[in-house]
Amino acid sequence: MSTVSKPAPKASFGERLKKQKYLQMMVWPGIIWMFIFNYIPMSGIIIAFKDYKITGTMWGAPWAGLSHFKEFLTDPSFMNIMQNTLGISLLKLCIAFPLPILFALLVNEVRSARYKKSIQTISYLPHFISWVVLGGLLITWLSDTGMINEVLVMTGILKEPIAFLADPKYFWWVAVISDTWKELGWSAIIYIAAISGIDQQMYEAAAIDGATKMQKIWHITLPAIKGTIAVMFILAVAGMLNSNFDQIFILNNVLNAEASEVIDTYVYKMGMRSGRYSYATAIGLFKSVVAMILLVIANFITKKLQGRSLF
């Protein structure tokens, strides 16, 4: 008569914790840091529903309900701020999101290891330049006597110089193109890593069947990294109301304010310059709620279309 072996008893939480003590030692500092600097400060969100003054306490401030949210939604500049925020973000989503994927595919086709490393290194470098430094360079380059105008005039593309940062109609494109150039190589890293994990035997089998390079990319590479693309797309949609504060803050000025005023810069002006902390907090909370809604919608759509999602 055969005997059925009993499953091993499940280890207790304490036993698993002891067994993973070295892994826990690496994880817990990050968890503690996140709790201290990300979760504890969230108690300050309460001032969005109060009339907080810096001379008083957060808990002693009188309640204001949803008045700050109503004030923002009825503000004459609300539509312009939302238009600029969504306009710049949509352009970045349409241009800056697919370009790193294309760049990663092109880099993957380079056969010389030395040449590939050189391309990657050069493309990464702009990411490490602070927007304070890069913004100063762009302000100089884009002036009517700057390098870009000189090149465009010399090549006959322009008849006369244009002060790009002094005209609102150029600001969106300046913001999108400069951000794309700065982050292209860095954003492509995750796609290059995903491509490097594809089984090379699939490419060899496709080559035996006579597949061209484009067919290999379309039928092997892209399907293999579609999960990574889906996750990055969800995160990009969720961050649509984030217009890269550092970049916009450096490049905006009185002349292009009509096209450069976004939610982040407006929050800064209301909070830090005007001292309207409750109003600024309400706007920030409004942005976070909308971002969460966009995250859920993008996650749902991606899950239906691709079968991949964050949750």
Side-chain angles (χ1 to χ4, degrees), residues 218-239:
W218 187 257
H219 295 288
I220 298 175
T221 308
L222 287 176
I225 65 172
K226 69 177 182 179
T228 304
I229 295 174
V231 172
M232 298 304 294
F233 177 76
I234 293 170
L235 295 176
V237 172

Side-chain angles (χ1 to χ4, degrees), residues 78-92:
F78 172 77
M79 290 304 299
N80 183 58
I81 292 171
M82 292 302 297
Q83 177 181 323
N84 293 334
T85 303
L86 293 175
I88 293 172
S89 297
L90 282 172
L91 282 175
K92 287 183 179 179

Side-chain angles (χ1 to χ4, degrees), residues 3 16 24 34 36 56 69 73 82 108 110 113 126 152 156 175 189 207 214 235 283:
T3 59
R16 295 200 306 272
Q24 297 291 339
M34 184 179 297
I36 293 174
F69 296 92
L73 294 175
M82 292 302 297
N108 184 60
V110 177
L152 294 176
I189 290 177
M214 285 303 300
L235 295 176
I283 300 172

Side-chain angles (χ1 to χ4, degrees), residues 36-112:
I36 293 174
F37 294 101
N38 290 80
Y39 284 91
I40 292 179
M42 286 182 69
S43 61
I45 290 176
I46 195 174
I47 69 173
F49 306 95
K50 292 190 169 190
D51 283 324
Y52 172 73
K53 304 295 182 183
I54 196 170
T55 53
T57 63
M58 182 172 65
W59 304 109
W63 287 98
L66 299 176
S67 61
H68 298 302
F69 296 92
K70 292 178 181 178
E71 181 180 354
F72 176 59
L73 294 175
T74 56
D75 191 301
S77 59
F78 172 77
M79 290 304 299
N80 183 58
I81 292 171
M82 292 302 297
Q83 177 181 323
N84 293 334
T85 303
L86 293 175
I88 293 172
S89 297
L90 282 172
L91 282 175
K92 287 183 179 179
L93 186 65
C94 295
I95 298 174
F97 179 76
L99 280 182
I101 302 173
L102 177 61
F103 181 72
L105 294 173
L106 293 175
V107 170
N108 184 60
E109 294 301 318
V110 177
R111 292 292 167 254
S112 172

Side-chain angles (χ1 to χ4, degrees), residues 162-211:
I162 297 174
F164 291 100
L165 292 178
D167 194 333
K169 69 181 180 181
Y170 297 113
F171 185 84
W172 286 13
W173 290 106
V174 169
V176 172
I177 293 172
S178 60
D179 186 67
T180 303
W181 167 71
K182 185 177 186 296
E183 301 297 336
L184 177 65
W186 186 257
S187 300
I189 290 177
I190 191 168
Y191 300 113
I192 294 173
I195 292 172
S196 65
I198 301 173
D199 188 354
Q200 295 302 308
Q201 292 182 354
M202 298 175 65
Y203 292 106
E204 295 171 2
I208 294 173
D209 290 337

